[in-house]
Amino acid sequence: MDCECLDMLPTVFRVLANPKQLISDDTCLEKLLDWLRDVVQKDAAVLDVSGMPFLKEFFTDVLKLQEPSPGILSFTMRLAGLLSISRTGFQNLQREEILSCLFGESGVSRRLLWDDASVRSGWIQGMHSMMQHQEAVQFFENSRGVEVTLQLQSDTSMFVVSAATHLLAHIIHSVLQWPLCRPAKSSSCRLSSTADVCSNIDECDWPSCVQKIIALVEASLNSDVSSEVCHSVRILTLVFSQCQTTVAVRLWPKVSGPVGALLRRCPSFVAQPLADLFLTLSRCPAFCSLDSEIWAMLSFALHSFTPPLASTLALGIGKLPECPLSTKLEAYNVILHPMDYVLRASSQRMQETGLLDETVCDTAAVEKLLINRSSCIAFLCQALGHIKDLSDTLPSCPTQFPCSLLVQSVLLVLQFCSDEILPPCVTAATLCQNLIGCVKIQRSSLDTLGSLSKWGAHCQWENVLNVLLGYLKNPESDPVVLQKSFQATCLWLISLCSHREELWPRIHHFLSNDLFPVLKKRIFDLRWEVRDSAVEFLIGISAAFQEKKDLRTLLFTSGIVDLLMDLLEDPESYVRASTAMALGHLVGITGYLENLPDLENRFTSVEEKIVPQLLNILSDDSEGFPRRAVVKVFTSWLKNHHMWKGMERNIAQVLHGGGHDPDWEVKVNTLNLAETLVQQTLNGSCCIFATKHSGILKPENVWNSLQELYETKLFEILFHTLFDCDRPVAQKSCSILILLKKATVEFCTEMNSEPDKHMLSREMMQDRISSRCGYCMGSADNANLQTLENVIDVLMALNLEVLQCELEQSSDYVVNSPRSLLQDILATALTSSEEIDVDCY
């Protein structure tokens, strides 16, 4: 602890104990506790009542008050619990009878202030903190802490209820891990049978406190009162979520009977907490054995829960890394049941083959949910979402999983929504009536369809593309639905080509004859979201297939580039930003073009049309998104060594415009461009300066590299942004300057014996370090940067390493320091105790 902070603590605690000096801001107390907790965790002996009389004085003064502030009383109890973490601290507080007065039977719980929720919460949190050793647990029991905590589980404040549940779970979990409570022979056992474990339990003595809590948990599990049952299940869930194997195998036999009985009668109010408990148990290493009774309980739950709740449980089972195959298949069955119903409803007779041979959930219950419109939408959305979440874990082999039928069922849902299918039976007509025009279902279905694209090679992919094309053509499609249709189409096209290269000719025909005409229309849709989605799709497709010669030719001969040029003036900034990125990517892949007749004209178009428009956006656009996109485009071109006439001049323009931009993200992106330029220049791979030198730079070429960078006005931008008010900007600039400084220092070291006539000597640079060229106190305008020698002088004078360390600290590290916090508490108390006269003039 800082000496200055230690000197301030007595005054701070005297202020806190003074009822006339109220602390109006409770967050100060929270921050003070957080800081003290960090101090105690590092060394509990630092804060001790015996060695710090002001702490004892603080507790005594607060306890003497007839009506202390609820906030101060809560703080006092939490502080007492914090100081009792160690046995020594607990004993010192107990010797002064401070703990008994705060937490004992005649303590705070018997006073009127107990009606305040913050006081009850402070009591629980104080108790929770001190439960680190046997003496504290014994004190908790002797103080009737178990009874008080159980009463608080029915508290009106949900925060108090949650804290009470966590306290009971913490006591069970912590106490059962202590050496005195561990079984003598089964420290590494797994749960094989209840009898084996029970024999181990009899060999150790559980503290009566834990026995009492577990007995009450067992009794509550058999209760008919919903709140008692739910609280007990949640306690067990918390215990098993953090306990070790030794604790799990000892505790489970005590509660498995009541839990099993509760599962068999399974009242609706406890189904969700039970599902959480079973999933927690299934993740516990003690129960990962395939013959564990947990899996039988999970299977029973899947059969007995309502379909929506069973589906939620099934999702958790599907994500388990270790699980019996039979249980996992049952979980998949539950999730796919609604899709099986859709597939069967689309046939002439419901009895025809569907996704599933037999079902786990009650078919009548599933049908009842899908007949009603509101429950149908909710249930189908849940099923589709779960399929999407499990798409990566589902088997990819068609012989192991009916992937084609699943994709077909999702397509049927989309067709029902768009009224593109004639219902063959009454059931299908009901489904169609419930789903037609439902945007929520359309969004979920398209997301799921996109996630199933990995099965494209095993499905009737033409049907998928046709359904998606229908949605893209539909003038009534919702903007978000169109966006997801574009995304799903892109995923399927990419998947098809990656798995079956021979399909490319047919896909190219689909793109040129079917999709691109629709894309041209959507690029000029009246809704800006649709225009943006169309441009994003174009970026995705061109990026995925940039090495396909015929697609590149199609992109540059279809007129789409000209349409995008018009979109650079779109009234919506998001569209302008996406269009700039799309054009940048399309221009970037021109380097892949081969034998295109008008290739030279295309490059001329780049120079004469696209680049000037991008520069105009950077300088004139009022929104930040397009300007950021423009800088990213130039960075991408530079990284990929894309060249055009006037490139060096244009890069300098971007550096100057972006470096002085009011938007901090534009400046960061500009500095990313500068970093790429520096790195490529120093290693001799920069396409801008390719005519001046090639290959890896040797030490004697560093001066030429620095001169080339100087000519682009790079250093002016770096010095300008070094002390920017936005920390990310200054950090980036500092890191680039450190790179340049390192290269300069290494060069000077290498050339020490043969100094270059253009370079300042190292001695001269060191002589000027103390002057700092006037730059550190102001802006770049104060520095003389007329020559490269001046630049190097400033660069060598700056202590960039120290500045970088300062920039790595958070912007509020001074304000949030412990010293500042203590000063704030004193200032707040002083202000509240004085009457301040304000002169209105």
Side-chain angles (χ1 to χ4, degrees):
M1 183 185 297
D2 184 79
C3 294
E4 188 174 353
C5 293
L6 189 61
D7 293 339
M8 295 174 67
L9 278 178
T11 308
V12 168
F13 277 99
R14 279 195 296 272
V15 166
L16 294 178
N18 189 346
K20 296 181 180 179
Q21 293 179 306
L22 297 178
I23 304 298
S24 58
D25 186 6
D26 288 341
T27 59
C28 288
L29 300 179
E30 294 292 334
K31 293 178 181 179
L32 180 58
L33 273 175
D34 290 340
W35 172 57
L36 294 176
R37 183 178 294 107
D38 291 339
V39 172
V40 170
Q41 287 176 349
K42 292 176 182 177
D43 185 1
V46 173
L47 288 176
D48 191 4
V49 176
S50 61
M52 295 182 171
F54 65 87
L55 287 175
K56 176 185 175 181
E57 181 183 345
F58 167 75
F59 287 119
T60 305
D61 291 345
V62 171
L63 289 170
K64 286 180 181 178
L65 297 175
Q66 293 296 322
E67 294 185 5
S69 163
I72 292 297
L73 186 56
S74 175
F75 170 83
T76 304
M77 289 187 287
R78 292 162 67 185
L79 177 63
L82 194 61
L83 299 180
S84 302
I85 288 179
S86 66
R87 279 189 173 85
T88 303
F90 175 86
Q91 293 167 355
N92 290 333
L93 287 173
Q94 186 70 325
R95 189 181 304 112
E96 302 294 339
E97 298 186 351
I98 293 173
L99 294 180
S100 299
C101 293
L102 287 172
F103 301 100
E105 280 192 75
S106 58
V108 174
S109 62
R110 301 297 181 185
R111 299 172 67 170
L112 293 177
L113 284 172
W114 188 252
D115 293 338
D116 192 289
S118 65
V119 174
R120 301 194 297 274
S121 179
W123 186 91
I124 294 174
Q125 293 180 52
M127 281 290 196
H128 195 139
S129 296
M130 74 171 72
M131 293 295 116
Q132 307 295 329
H133 43 83
Q134 187 66 40
E135 294 181 27
V137 174
Q138 190 64 46
F139 171 76
F140 178 76
E141 182 181 7
N142 296 340
S143 305
R144 295 182 55 81
V146 176
E147 290 76 9
V148 174
T149 307
L150 288 173
Q151 290 176 0
L152 292 177
Q153 283 200 301
S154 303
D155 198 87
T156 55
S157 168
M158 63 177 182
F159 299 105
V160 174
V161 172
S162 176
T165 302
H166 279 77
L167 173 58
L168 293 174
H170 174 70
I171 292 174
I172 297 174
H173 167 252
S174 299
V175 172
L176 292 185
Q177 291 188 94
W178 293 343
L180 292 177
C181 302
R182 291 177 183 168
K185 301 178 181 179
S186 61
S187 60
S188 60
C189 65
R190 282 181 177 267
L191 185 62
S192 55
S193 68
T194 303
D196 294 338
V197 180
C198 285
S199 64
N200 288 321
I201 294 174
D202 295 337
E203 294 177 7
C204 66
D205 294 326
W206 287 10
S208 56
C209 174
V210 173
Q211 293 182 29
K212 186 182 296 185
I213 295 174
I214 293 177
L216 290 169
V217 168
E218 291 183 67
S220 297
L221 290 174
N222 296 314
S223 172
D224 294 327
V225 181
S226 61
S227 60
E228 292 182 5
V229 177
C230 291
H231 290 325
S232 295
V233 174
R234 291 192 181 102
I235 289 174
L236 292 177
T237 303
L238 287 170
V239 172
F240 285 110
S241 67
Q242 53 189 319
C243 69
Q244 299 176 353
T245 300
T246 53
V247 177
V249 298
R250 296 173 59 214
L251 179 60
W252 175 244
K254 293 285 291 180
V255 298
S256 59
V259 169
L262 179 63
L263 175 62
R264 286 188 291 275
R265 73 176 194 268
C266 195
S268 58
F269 61 81
V270 80
Q272 183 60 61
L274 268 179
D276 296 336
L277 173 60
F278 289 137
L279 287 176
T280 300
L281 289 169
S282 65
R283 298 185 191 102
C284 186
F287 308 112
C288 65
S289 173
L290 297 183
D291 60 351
S292 172
E293 62 181 316
I294 298 299
W295 306 116
M297 288 188 171
L298 278 171
S299 177
F300 185 87
L302 289 173
H303 284 81
S304 58
F305 284 177
T306 61
L309 187 57
S311 183
T312 302
L313 178 61
L315 175 65
I317 295 173
K319 293 181 177 180
L320 291 175
E322 296 185 30
C323 175
L325 180 61
S326 59
T327 306
K328 185 155 286 192
L329 290 177
E330 285 182 333
Y332 291 155
N333 185 297
V334 170
I335 293 174
L336 296 178
H337 197 154
M339 309 310 297
D340 174 78
Y341 184 88
V342 170
L343 202 59
R344 293 179 188 274
S346 65
S347 60
Q348 293 293 334
R349 297 183 303 276
M350 283 290 290
Q351 293 77 20
E352 292 186 10
T353 304
L355 264 172
L356 310 173
D357 296 330
E358 56 183 20
T359 59
V360 172
C361 289
D362 183 14
T363 302
V366 172
E367 184 175 357
K368 183 179 179 180
L369 287 169
L370 294 175
I371 288 175
N372 179 268
R373 177 175 170 82
S374 59
S375 60
C376 174
I377 293 172
F379 191 35
L380 271 181
C381 278
Q382 181 192 48
L384 290 165
H386 290 173
I387 293 171
K388 176 179 177 291
D389 292 340
L390 291 178
S391 60
D392 292 335
T393 63
L394 293 174
S396 300
C397 180
T399 60
Q400 298 177 343
F401 194 81
C403 52
S404 180
L405 289 175
L406 178 55
V407 172
Q408 184 182 344
S409 67
V410 177
L411 290 178
L412 284 170
V413 172
L414 287 169
Q415 289 174 313
F416 279 135
C417 290
S418 59
D419 197 20
E420 292 181 0
I421 189 172
L422 183 64
C425 60
V426 177
T427 305
T430 304
L431 263 180
C432 186
Q433 184 179 359
N434 289 339
L435 299 180
I436 188 169
C438 180
V439 174
K440 190 174 181 181
I441 290 289
Q442 290 173 342
R443 294 175 181 177
S444 298
S445 300
L446 290 166
D447 280 338
T448 304
L449 186 62
S451 68
L452 300 180
S453 60
K454 67 174 184 177
W455 293 334
H458 308 298
C459 304
Q460 296 180 347
W461 56 270
E462 297 95 335
N463 293 342
V464 175
L465 295 182
N466 287 334
V467 170
L468 291 172
L469 185 64
Y471 268 82
L472 293 173
K473 286 182 177 180
N474 189 351
E476 297 180 358
S477 291
D478 180 82
V480 179
V481 171
L482 283 170
Q483 178 193 34
K484 295 185 179 296
S485 299
F486 275 124
Q487 292 171 348
T489 303
C490 188
L491 289 172
W492 272 81
L493 292 175
I494 294 172
S495 176
L496 287 171
C497 286
S498 63
H499 290 93
R500 296 178 61 182
E501 185 68 26
E502 70 274 10
L503 293 178
W504 171 248
R506 298 167 66 183
I507 291 175
H508 179 267
H509 182 271
F510 170 77
L511 287 171
S512 59
N513 292 348
D514 298 322
L515 190 56
F516 269 38
V518 177
L519 185 63
K520 289 181 181 179
K521 293 181 180 179
R522 290 304 184 188
I523 283 178
F524 286 101
D525 195 283
L526 293 176
R527 297 161 293 183
W528 72 265
E529 300 95 335
V530 179
R531 301 195 298 273
D532 190 61
S533 299
V535 175
E536 292 285 352
F537 169 79
L538 190 59
I539 295 174
I541 287 295
S542 60
F545 303 120
Q546 63 182 7
E547 296 183 2
K548 300 288 185 183
K549 177 182 175 181
D550 42 0
L551 178 66
R552 298 196 301 269
T553 304
L554 175 63
L555 287 170
F556 281 90
T557 57
S558 61
I560 283 183
V561 175
D562 295 329
L563 298 179
L564 291 178
M565 293 291 292
D566 294 335
L567 275 188
L568 285 176
E569 299 179 359
D570 193 274
E572 176 55 50
S573 62
Y574 292 105
V575 178
R576 297 197 299 274
S578 297
T579 304
M581 294 297 294
L583 281 170
H585 185 77
L586 292 177
V587 168
I589 66 173
T590 54
Y592 292 95
L593 293 172
E594 298 173 1
N595 302 321
L596 192 63
D598 56 346
L599 180 61
E600 293 185 1
N601 294 334
R602 298 296 174 184
F603 277 111
T604 303
S605 176
V606 170
E607 180 183 358
E608 295 180 354
K609 294 182 179 180
I610 297 180
V611 172
Q613 285 216 43
L614 294 179
L615 292 174
N616 286 337
I617 290 176
L618 181 61
S619 60
D620 299 335
D621 202 297
S622 60
E623 298 289 339
F625 295 108
R627 302 199 303 273
R628 297 171 200 166
V630 167
V631 179
K632 289 179 182 178
V633 166
F634 281 95
T635 305
S636 174
W637 287 349
L638 187 61
K639 284 183 177 180
N640 296 317
H641 303 284
H642 179 75
M643 299 178 62
W644 68 94
K645 293 181 181 179
M647 184 178 184
E648 181 176 354
R649 183 183 69 256
N650 295 148
I651 292 293
Q653 289 176 279
V654 175
L655 289 172
H656 182 270
H660 292 84
D661 196 278
D663 185 285
W664 72 269
E665 291 191 58
V666 175
K667 285 185 280 193
V668 169
N669 288 327
T670 303
L671 291 172
N672 288 333
L673 172 64
E675 185 177 42
T676 302
L677 182 62
V678 169
Q679 290 173 344
Q680 291 185 355
T681 303
L682 291 178
N683 63 31
S685 63
C686 184
C687 55
I688 294 182
F689 310 124
T691 57
K692 298 181 181 180
H693 54 77
S694 59
I696 300 176
L697 284 179
K698 298 178 181 179
E700 58 267 19
N701 298 126
V702 173
W703 175 260
N704 294 331
S705 299
L706 294 176
Q707 186 65 45
E708 290 162 349
L709 293 172
Y710 174 79
E711 291 172 0
T712 63
K713 307 298 182 182
L714 174 75
F715 289 99
E716 290 185 12
I717 301 303
L718 293 177
F719 288 138
H720 173 76
T721 54
L722 182 59
F723 293 94
D724 194 272
C725 58
D726 291 300
R727 190 161 57 98
V729 178
Q731 280 182 301
K732 192 67 178 178
S733 178
C734 187
S735 65
I736 299 172
L737 286 170
I738 287 175
L739 176 64
L740 288 165
K741 184 176 180 179
K742 181 180 178 181
T744 305
V745 171
E746 290 177 354
F747 168 68
C748 292
T749 303
E750 292 286 341
M751 301 297 292
N752 197 27
S753 58
E754 297 180 11
D756 192 285
K757 62 180 181 180
H758 295 290
M759 285 293 293
L760 295 171
S761 65
R762 292 185 64 187
E763 291 77 14
M764 188 179 297
M765 293 178 187
Q766 292 171 350
D767 289 339
R768 297 193 181 184
I769 286 179
S770 58
S771 68
R772 304 180 70 84
C773 298
Y775 181 72
C776 291
M777 304 303 295
S779 66
D781 298 332
N782 294 329
N784 183 6
L785 306 178
Q786 294 181 357
T787 65
L788 180 58
E789 287 85 352
N790 299 140
V791 170
I792 294 177
D793 192 29
V794 174
L795 182 63
M796 299 300 293
L798 292 173
N799 196 342
L800 295 170
E801 291 73 17
V802 172
L803 180 58
Q804 187 179 45
C805 293
E806 294 177 358
L807 291 171
E808 287 175 354
Q809 295 176 323
S810 61
S811 56
D812 59 350
Y813 75 98
V814 175
V815 177
N816 284 340
S817 64
R819 181 176 60 182
S820 176
L821 173 62
L822 298 178
Q823 291 172 343
D824 287 345
I825 293 175
L826 295 176
T828 303
L830 181 63
T831 302
S832 62
S833 64
E834 295 179 352
E835 183 178 352
I836 302 177
D837 295 327
V838 179
D839 189 346
C840 62
Y841 298 102

